[in-house]
Amino acid sequence: MTRTRLDAWLWAVRMYKTRSAATAAVKGGHVKVNDAPAKPAQPVNIGDTVRLRQPGRERILEVTGLIAKRVGAPVAVQHYRDHSPEPIPRHLLAVPRRDRGAGRPTKKERRQLDELRGRDAHQ
């Protein structure tokens, strides 16, 4: 059985657009293997659980096959099992915008905006 680097596997199964982006994500601490921090050259094995953070969601993948070369999406899907939770709908992530020229928000409006953004109003 061949050994496959974590960054190469993430790129090959199309989780990242480039291999350097996969390497940067692993180095940045956005990827864990079996709930432990990972390094780009760490080998992945069949049965490992890979957790990665992508903008707006977390992906949880179980490795079912090892590949080092990038393949088409239908083939790539055969090399992992996705256990990720459903992504949050975009309309729930949206923060309302104020009309241009509406002036500064009132104190009440500021509190409402802070509450929507999840910030503590009494910092």
Side-chain angles (χ1 to χ4, degrees):
M1 181 182 300
T2 62
R3 297 173 67 99
T4 304
R5 290 172 54 114
L6 175 62
D7 58 350
W9 184 84
L10 288 168
W11 168 73
V13 295
R14 307 181 81 81
M15 290 295 123
Y16 293 97
K17 210 170 209 177
T18 63
R19 172 123 177 234
S20 60
T23 303
V26 176
K27 283 183 180 178
H30 299 286
V31 179
K32 291 184 176 186
V33 176
N34 298 325
D35 294 323
K39 292 185 177 182
Q42 177 177 336
V44 289
N45 300 308
I46 294 175
D48 284 350
T49 301
V50 178
R51 290 177 172 264
L52 58 127
R53 282 184 293 172
Q54 290 179 328
R57 72 183 295 198
E58 180 184 28
R59 304 288 302 262
I60 303 169
L61 309 174
E62 180 185 341
V63 179
T64 59
L66 301 176
I67 54 173
K69 298 291 182 188
R70 194 164 170 101
V71 293
V75 178
V77 173
Q78 298 171 2
H79 291 88
Y80 65 89
R81 191 170 297 122
D82 198 347
H83 299 290
S84 306
E86 290 294 318
I88 299 170
R90 292 188 81 158
H91 71 277
L92 294 178
L93 293 174
V95 176
R97 298 241 180 236
R98 292 181 50 80
D99 293 331
R100 201 172 169 96
R104 290 178 60 177
T106 63
K107 194 169 188 176
K108 182 178 179 181
E109 292 170 338
R110 168 58 61 202
R111 286 187 187 130
Q112 290 172 340
L113 286 170
D114 286 344
E115 188 177 317
L116 279 173
R117 292 182 177 134
R119 296 182 188 153
D120 185 18
H122 305 288
Q123 288 184 0

